[in-house]
Amino acid sequence: MALIVQKYGGTSVGSPERIHAVADRVKRWKELGNDVVVVVSAMSGETNRLLELINAVNPKGAAREHDVILSTGEQVTIGLLSLALQGKGCEARSYTGSQVKVLTDNCYSKARILEIDDAAMRQDLEAGKVIIVAGFQGVDADGNITTLGRGGSDTTAVALAVALNADECQIYTDVDGVYTTDPRVVPAARHIPKLSLEEMLEMASQGSKVLQIRAVEFAHKYNMPIRVLSSFDECDEGKSTLVTREEDIMEKVVVRGIAFNRDEAQLTVTGVPDEPGIAFKILGPISDANIEVDMIVQNVGSDNTTDFTFTVHRNEYEQAKEILCALATEMGAKSCGGDNKIAKVSIVGVGMRSHAGVARDMFEALAKEGINIRMISTSEIKVSVVIDEKYLELAVRSLHEAFGLDAAAPA
Ligand code: ADP
Ligand code: ASP
Ligand code: MG
């Protein structure tokens, strides 16, 4: 007998019919003799609808209230799925994040999980029940409801799998695994049967939203393999992707996949006096405002001044620009501005560690298409470039082909 944690995303539970289909699958796993813990997202579109309501009433109000509202989507789904299972003769019990107790910090809208109390769930599992947990939410030490950031139900699932020492963490979604790039953007994308947690971590952090980055971080830290599968497959033995330790993967390719991200914006301040502490002076107030910075480039000119460019999440662009331009005036900078029509494209693969020239090949492929590169950053297993957003799809398609990732055309 195994303990399985399954997570079903928004489209997988997007209608009463889909909830019944999920309930049938959960029941099958339970009847095979497994203990089953299910994590669900809100029904598709629901979290966006709640966000629209917040924006229509008071987007600047307390973040605490935003999380109270955003967490309700998942609460509806746990109730519906429990009812569906009960109707099929399968005992099930729903839990909100605070009922479990998924303890988080108090950073509303991007809270981090600190601890999970497994006592009540274990008791129900021993009594033969299926546990249905609301993803994406937790509770802080003072009892306030928190949410874990968009896509956060993945993180709830992995964290529960770790806390319960599960045999497998299955992420059911609307694609049958991880592909070399988003198959909705590049139809020639190829299915990847197995990839390393390190590669998935880079893919997720560079924009492949098939798994939330924090979920992969958790899985990496606690060595919990994740299986990504489609909840739309009729059978339980369809295609899937196993994301696991690098040692367990035989095939090491140079470029495993291509990730992209339209969620970033670029900010630039020019002609800042070049003196020690300048990066701290600029980025300190940005970080104090809880704005995360991704890429950073600093260029020293010949006239003892420096130009400083960095990227932030697009949602935080206006706030970051306000802070930066106030600083620029204070520092006597030449100019301050930005652009929120940029995109980042990254190539990822553990094989890059031992292969030189991958970045060169990437730049050549982009040059061939006349695509201008604005910023570059590299790590051991990835190369990222920032380009104009309008060239994003062309860049992804060309790189996919240049690195030999296109699936063979059907015979
Ligand atoms: P869920 O609601 O189930 O959490 P998501 O929309 O968060 O589903 O994630 C699944 C989507 O991720 C797919 O529909 C696909 O468009 C997108 N995606 C992005 N990059 C990839 C990739 N490399 N492989 C597979 N899917 C990807
Ligand atoms: N419902 C939340 C979202 O749409 C969390 C999730 O689906 O994982 O982001
Ligand atoms: Mg998701």
Side-chain angles (χ1 to χ4, degrees):
M1 189 168 87
L3 198 165
I4 313 283
V5 173
Q6 302 187 326
K7 177 257 171 176
Y8 293 91
T11 40
S12 301
V13 291
S15 65
E17 295 71 34
R18 291 296 317 151
I19 297 224
H20 276 296
V22 166
D24 288 337
R25 187 182 302 270
V26 170
K27 187 170 180 236
R28 275 202 304 277
W29 279 88
K30 175 72 188 151
E31 283 174 352
L32 285 171
N34 301 296
D35 279 340
V36 188
V37 175
V38 184
V39 174
V40 284
S41 295
M43 295 167 86
S44 54
E46 182 58 15
T47 309
N48 287 343
R49 189 185 73 86
L50 295 169
L51 267 174
E52 278 165 25
L53 283 175
I54 291 170
N55 288 333
V57 173
N58 179 8
K60 294 219 157 98
R64 177 186 185 276
E65 310 311 328
H66 290 194
D67 280 9
V68 165
I69 298 160
L70 289 178
S71 63
T72 60
E74 273 69 13
Q75 192 168 332
V76 171
T77 328
I78 53 170
L80 289 175
L81 184 56
S82 299
L83 289 178
L85 278 160
Q86 287 165 13
K88 294 173 198 296
C90 183
E91 266 202 277
R93 188 175 159 92
S94 68
Y95 282 84
T96 62
S98 66
Q99 285 173 327
V100 166
K101 176 161 180 187
V102 176
L103 182 72
T104 70
D105 61 20
N106 61 0
C107 197
Y108 296 114
S109 86
K110 39 185 163 184
R112 282 182 182 271
I113 297 178
L114 303 174
E115 211 174 84
I116 291 183
D117 185 351
D118 64 353
M121 288 186 295
R122 290 227 186 254
Q123 225 174 30
D124 275 341
L125 285 173
E126 264 162 41
K129 292 179 190 155
V130 168
I131 312 284
I132 317 284
V133 180
F136 174 60
Q137 55 179 265
V139 62
D140 75 4
D142 297 322
N144 299 302
I145 293 174
T146 55
T147 64
L148 311 179
R150 297 307 303 268
S153 301
D154 294 340
T155 305
T156 306
V158 177
L160 279 176
V162 170
L164 292 163
N165 200 11
D167 295 284
E168 187 154 316
C169 180
Q170 305 175 339
I171 304 283
Y172 282 92
T173 181
D174 54 8
V175 275
D176 54 9
V178 179
Y179 280 68
T180 45
T181 192
D182 189 340
R184 295 188 202 285
V185 172
V186 180
R190 204 159 59 200
H191 181 265
I192 307 173
K194 234 181 185 191
L195 84 157
S196 70
L197 282 159
E198 288 83 351
E199 286 169 321
M200 193 61 237
L201 198 56
E202 280 290 6
M203 295 268 287
S205 67
Q206 300 311 319
S208 293
K209 292 189 182 123
V210 59
L211 288 175
Q212 199 208 31
I213 173 166
R214 288 207 183 146
V216 191
E217 269 169 10
F218 236 99
H220 189 239
K221 183 164 171 196
Y222 295 100
N223 210 356
M224 170 60 63
I226 304 176
R227 189 176 290 282
V228 181
L229 352 77
S230 170
S231 70
F232 292 79
D233 273 352
E234 290 289 321
C235 69
D236 288 323
E237 268 87 44
K239 261 202 267 178
S240 67
T241 295
L242 184 65
V243 191
T244 187
R245 294 186 313 183
E246 197 177 326
E247 303 90 279
D248 299 335
I249 296 189
M250 303 291 284
E251 186 213 15
K252 304 252 187 305
V253 295
V254 180
V255 175
R256 176 73 72 184
I258 297 175
F260 54 86
N261 187 351
R262 300 172 208 265
D263 292 342
E264 288 196 23
Q266 177 183 326
L267 289 143
T268 303
V269 56
T270 66
V272 184
D274 182 31
E275 56 195 33
I278 202 69
F280 173 64
K281 231 184 209 168
I282 295 172
L283 295 180
I286 300 281
S287 155
D288 292 344
N290 218 353
I291 298 175
E292 269 178 45
V293 168
D294 181 22
M295 289 164 93
I296 305 171
V297 173
Q298 186 181 356
N299 250 340
V300 179
S302 52
D303 57 349
N304 283 340
T305 67
T306 182
D307 298 345
F308 205 89
T309 300
F310 58 95
T311 61
V312 297
H313 195 283
R314 223 179 252 194
N315 289 345
E316 296 176 321
Y317 172 65
E318 294 300 340
Q319 193 194 352
K321 199 159 112 183
E322 218 172 278
I323 297 172
L324 184 69
C325 293
L327 280 170
T329 314
E330 230 174 76
M331 294 187 299
K334 212 178 287 161
S335 72
C336 172
D339 186 350
N340 61 0
K341 295 270 182 300
I342 59 156
K344 188 168 72 169
V345 185
S346 310
I347 54 173
V348 175
V350 286
M352 277 186 216
R353 285 195 194 115
S354 49
H355 274 77
V358 183
R360 177 209 162 276
D361 295 346
M362 179 186 201
F363 304 152
E364 185 183 19
L366 295 173
K368 262 193 197 150
E369 299 294 343
I371 299 172
N372 187 37
I373 299 173
R374 294 173 170 218
M375 292 172 89
I376 301 171
S377 91
T378 61
S379 79
E380 218 187 351
I381 64 164
K382 72 122 213 273
V383 184
S384 302
V385 296
V386 169
I387 58 172
D388 280 353
E389 187 184 11
K390 63 178 183 241
Y391 297 122
L392 177 62
E393 290 184 8
L394 175 64
V396 176
R397 267 189 279 114
S398 327
L399 291 171
H400 200 264
E401 200 190 332
F403 285 103
L405 298 175
D406 283 4

